[in-house]
Amino acid sequence: MKKSRKVLLITFLVVLFLLIGGKIIIGNMVGDVQNISVSMPDLSNVQDGKYIGEYLITPVHVKVEVSVSNHRITNIAILQHDNGLGSAAESIVNDVVEEQSLDIDAVSGAAVSSKCILKAVENAIENERGRFVLMKTIVIYNSKTGFTKRYAEWIAEATGADCIELSAAKKRNLSAYEAIIFGGWACAGSISKISWFKGNMDKWADKKLIAFCVGGSPIDNPEIDIALKRNFSESEQKKVKIFYCPGGFNYEKMSTPSKLMMKMFVKTLKAKKDKTETEEIMVKMISSSYDISNKKYIEPILQYLKK
């Protein structure tokens, strides 16, 4: 009997603890919601297109796709809504489209989800990523010492694209993507593994195609543009846009054969008499590891994706 009373007491205390804890959590959540401001972005400078935005107030997470035409919101699609008990809030998107405003009262009984949806719509238009016209994009890369992978991840982060290594891309069906970006490292004037990309270009005729090369030369090297174009025929250049991103050298991550080859090249270049100014600069740069990568160099790629 005493044992039964003890079990009942423990059960009561646990339930009481959960109720108090839940009340505190809900109270904090409501307080957080009340402190979040939502403002309607200026649509006068927003181009026609579809934009993605998201917002999170744990445990509610919302992701939306906002369609804009003639500087008006024409549709809002809920892509994701981890809503708890707030599914009724999804009807608020109809009011936003009708009123062309985010100054909308929350749906009764779904205040948290309502605020999350409104904030996600705001973010879709305001955020840098949201300003990209929604195009299902994948970034595929072949990286040797990490620089190409870094640029691929930067591009994916800025655009919301999928990002995978070439080995994984070869096993995947890419037909659903509208834009395919391939990145490889510079190898004796060529883009590494570019033959795989070129071999698929004909079946990707309906997609926006981009190739970028990551090398150790500074961006202002006049020979870069010539070298890049050598990777594609004239007819292929009409189907793909090519970019260059400065990376660097990382001897620590190079394979032993590549490292030995580079050391021999540097030694030969150093021994050369009457070196040109370009060769003098090259000797200084590639004699040891260096990193000239910068996120700013992906900007031309991002601008091309927006067109």
Side-chain angles (χ1 to χ4, degrees):
M1 191 70 174
K2 290 183 178 180
K3 186 176 181 181
S4 298
R5 289 180 179 176
K6 187 175 182 181
V7 171
L8 286 172
L9 179 61
I10 293 172
T11 303
F12 172 76
L13 291 173
V14 169
V15 171
L16 183 63
F17 175 78
L18 291 174
L19 287 172
I20 294 173
K23 187 175 181 180
I24 292 172
I25 292 171
I26 292 171
N28 289 338
M29 187 187 300
V30 172
D32 290 340
V33 169
Q34 291 174 344
N35 291 329
I36 295 170
S37 62
V38 180
S39 58
M40 182 66 183
D42 181 5
L43 294 173
S44 62
N45 295 318
V46 178
Q47 298 178 1
D48 291 357
K50 296 179 180 179
Y51 302 84
I52 337 176
E54 55 189 317
Y55 199 73
L56 170 69
I57 304 176
T58 305
V60 179
H61 180 210
V62 175
K63 188 174 185 179
V64 299
E65 175 189 296
V66 181
S67 299
V68 176
S69 179
N70 293 323
H71 311 297
R72 290 177 59 83
I73 296 175
T74 57
N75 187 61
I76 301 171
I78 307 287
L79 301 180
Q80 179 180 350
H81 184 194
D82 302 329
N83 56 66
L85 300 176
S87 59
E90 295 180 7
S91 64
I92 201 170
V93 299
N94 299 322
D95 297 329
V96 174
V97 175
E98 183 179 347
E99 300 293 333
Q100 292 294 302
S101 171
L102 294 179
D103 187 15
I104 306 292
D105 290 338
V107 174
S108 178
V112 177
S113 283
S114 296
K115 185 62 73 75
C116 275
I117 292 171
L118 294 174
K119 198 66 182 176
V121 173
E122 178 187 356
N123 288 345
I125 301 170
E126 289 290 357
N127 288 351
E128 182 178 357
R129 180 183 296 184
R131 290 192 179 276
F132 282 87
V133 175
L134 183 62
M135 179 180 288
K136 191 170 178 59
T137 304
I138 187 168
V139 185
I140 301 164
Y141 65 90
N142 176 54
S143 187
K144 192 175 185 69
T145 59
F147 292 107
T148 307
K149 180 182 180 182
R150 181 183 300 169
Y151 275 109
E153 290 176 342
W154 279 342
I155 295 168
E157 179 186 3
T159 61
D162 293 334
C163 184
I164 60 174
E165 290 186 86
L166 175 58
S167 57
K170 289 179 178 179
K171 304 172 185 177
R172 182 179 291 195
N173 183 351
L174 305 178
S175 60
Y177 291 98
E178 299 169 279
I180 297 177
I181 304 173
F182 176 80
W185 48 280
C187 180
S190 299
I191 304 174
S192 65
K193 304 297 182 180
I194 195 64
S195 58
W196 173 83
F197 181 78
K198 291 170 63 175
N200 287 285
M201 284 176 58
D202 285 342
K203 70 179 182 182
W204 295 338
D206 61 332
K207 307 181 189 304
K208 178 172 280 191
L209 301 180
I210 296 172
F212 70 92
C213 177
V214 179
S217 296
I219 194 74
D220 56 358
N221 186 332
E223 298 177 5
I224 289 174
D225 190 53
I226 298 171
L228 289 180
K229 287 181 178 179
R230 286 194 190 124
N231 287 272
F232 297 92
S233 65
E234 287 188 16
S235 61
E236 288 171 338
Q237 289 177 33
K238 295 176 182 178
K239 303 174 184 177
V240 60
K241 188 71 173 176
I242 317 162
F243 297 90
Y244 176 77
C245 301
F249 269 85
N250 189 330
Y251 283 101
E252 290 73 22
K253 290 187 177 181
M254 281 187 184
S255 64
T256 300
S258 296
K259 193 181 300 184
L260 290 173
M261 183 178 69
M262 284 305 304
K263 293 295 184 182
M264 288 175 62
F265 175 72
V266 171
K267 187 176 180 180
T268 302
L269 198 58
K270 282 182 176 180
K272 182 181 177 181
K273 296 180 180 179
D274 302 322
K275 289 188 283 292
T276 64
E277 183 180 356
T278 301
E279 289 172 335
E280 290 284 3
I281 294 172
M282 187 182 294
V283 168
K284 291 179 181 178
M285 288 187 69
I286 65 177
S287 293
S288 58
S289 297
Y290 65 93
D291 183 351
I292 54 174
S293 63
N294 193 303
K295 193 179 287 189
K296 68 181 181 181
Y297 294 122
I298 70 170
E299 193 57 37
I301 299 175
L302 304 185
Q303 292 300 322
Y304 181 70
L305 273 175
K306 289 180 182 179
K307 294 180 180 179

